[in-house]
Amino acid sequence: MKIVWYTEHMKRSFIIFLILVFCSGCMAPRLDTSSTRKMEKSMNEMRDKLTDEQNDRLDKAMMLIAFDAFEFDNILKMNEINTNNMLSKVKRKLDGKTYNDIIGIAKDVAKKKISELKKQKKETQIAEKGISQVEVKENQLFNKTEVGAFGSTYTNRVLKLTVKNNHSMAFSKIYFNAKTFAKDRDVPYLNDDFVYEIPGGIQPGETQTWELVPKYYRDWE
C-alpha cells in the first residue's frame, strides 16, 4: 500500500508541476502591437520581468528583426509609404510574442543572414578566380568628335575595350583598373578604377567590344 500511495503521489506532483510550467508560460508578458500605446505598455511589462542581461539581448534581437524587415533595397527607396509598410511588417511579426519568442525569431534571422553571407562569400571567391580568365584583347584611348543638336560638335574622350570571357560563368559587370602612360614615362598620368555594367552581360566564350565615354570612368574628360 505504501508503494502504491507513493506512486500516486508522484503522479499528482508531476501533473501539478506540468500545470505550473504551462501556466507560467501563459503568464509570460506578450507584446501587443495593436497600437503604439499598447506596444509601449506591453514592452515595459516585459522588460520589468527581465534581468539586465536579458534586456540587452532583447534590444539586440529587436534591432536584428527590424533590420531584416528594412531590406537594403527598400532603404535606398525610403519614403513614408515604404516606412509604414516595413513597420507594419515588424509589428505583425512581433504581435503576441513573448521574450523567448522574440529571441527565437532573432536567432532564425541570424541563421538566415549567416547563410546568405556564406553564399555571397562563395560566389565572390568563384568570381575572383574567374577574373584572371577575363581577357582584355584590345584597349585604346582616343578622341571622338560627334555632331550634337543644331549642328554643334563636341568631343568625347573614348576608351575602346575588346574583352573576351574565357570563364565558364557569365558576368553582369566588370571592375577595371586603368592606367595611361606618356611615351618614355614610367609613372602613369592616370591610375583609376571604374566598373562597367554590361548590358545583357557577357556569356562564357563571348567577345565584346565597348566604347566607353566619361560617364563610365569619372574624371577622365
Side-chain angles (χ1 to χ4, degrees):
M1 290 295 292
K2 287 183 178 179
I3 294 175
V4 172
W5 177 87
Y6 183 76
T7 304
E8 291 298 325
H9 177 71
M10 287 294 292
K11 284 181 179 179
R12 285 196 296 272
S13 298
F14 183 66
I15 291 170
I16 291 170
F17 172 76
L18 288 178
I19 292 172
L20 288 173
V21 170
F22 178 76
C23 289
S24 65
C26 295
M27 293 170 61
R30 293 180 180 274
L31 204 58
D32 183 352
T33 63
S34 58
S35 70
T36 302
R37 185 182 63 81
K38 289 182 179 180
M39 185 171 178
E40 290 177 355
K41 181 181 178 183
S42 58
M43 177 60 77
N44 289 334
E45 290 174 353
M46 182 182 293
R47 288 188 181 281
D48 287 342
K49 293 183 178 295
L50 302 177
T51 63
D52 290 342
E53 183 180 351
Q54 287 174 322
N55 271 303
D56 184 56
R57 290 186 66 194
L58 180 61
D59 288 336
K60 292 176 181 176
M62 295 284 285
M63 188 177 296
L64 186 58
I65 293 168
F67 276 126
D68 185 48
F70 283 67
E71 296 170 352
F72 185 71
D73 289 342
N74 290 329
I75 292 174
L76 293 179
K77 303 171 186 175
M78 190 66 75
N79 55 47
E80 187 174 351
I81 294 175
N82 276 348
T83 302
N84 290 336
N85 287 340
M86 287 183 279
L87 287 173
S88 296
K89 182 179 178 181
V90 174
K91 287 180 178 180
R92 285 195 301 271
K93 183 175 286 190
L94 296 178
D95 190 43
K97 299 298 189 288
T98 64
Y99 165 78
N100 288 331
D101 293 334
I102 295 171
I103 298 300
I105 292 171
K107 285 181 178 179
D108 290 339
V109 170
K111 287 178 183 177
K112 184 183 75 171
K113 294 298 181 186
I114 290 170
S115 177
E116 290 174 355
L117 289 172
K118 286 181 178 178
K119 182 181 177 181
Q120 290 173 4
K121 182 180 179 181
K122 185 176 180 181
E123 290 174 348
T124 301
Q125 289 171 340
I126 292 172
E128 285 174 349
K129 290 179 181 178
I131 290 299
S132 61
Q133 299 183 52
V134 175
E135 179 184 0
V136 179
K137 299 178 72 67
E138 177 191 5
N139 66 87
Q140 182 183 1
L141 191 63
F142 61 92
N143 291 328
K144 185 175 184 179
T145 302
E146 298 186 35
V147 179
F150 308 108
S152 61
T153 60
Y154 60 94
T155 300
N156 268 330
R157 193 75 165 153
V158 177
L159 175 63
K160 183 178 180 180
L161 293 173
T162 299
V163 175
K164 183 178 180 182
N165 180 10
N166 294 315
H167 197 266
S168 59
M169 66 185 292
F171 291 95
S172 62
K173 63 175 68 173
I174 298 181
Y175 291 83
F176 292 94
N177 171 257
K179 296 182 177 71
T180 57
F181 294 86
K183 187 178 180 180
D184 300 325
R185 298 187 72 88
D186 297 326
V187 178
Y189 275 97
L190 175 74
N191 183 357
D192 203 1
D193 299 319
F194 69 95
V195 59
Y196 177 56
E197 296 192 16
I198 309 162
I202 182 169
Q203 295 295 115
E206 184 178 7
T207 299
Q208 293 186 10
T209 297
W210 310 315
E211 289 191 358
L212 310 183
V213 293
K215 67 178 181 178
Y216 291 112
Y217 43 86
R218 293 194 287 188
D219 301 324
W220 286 29
E221 62 270 46

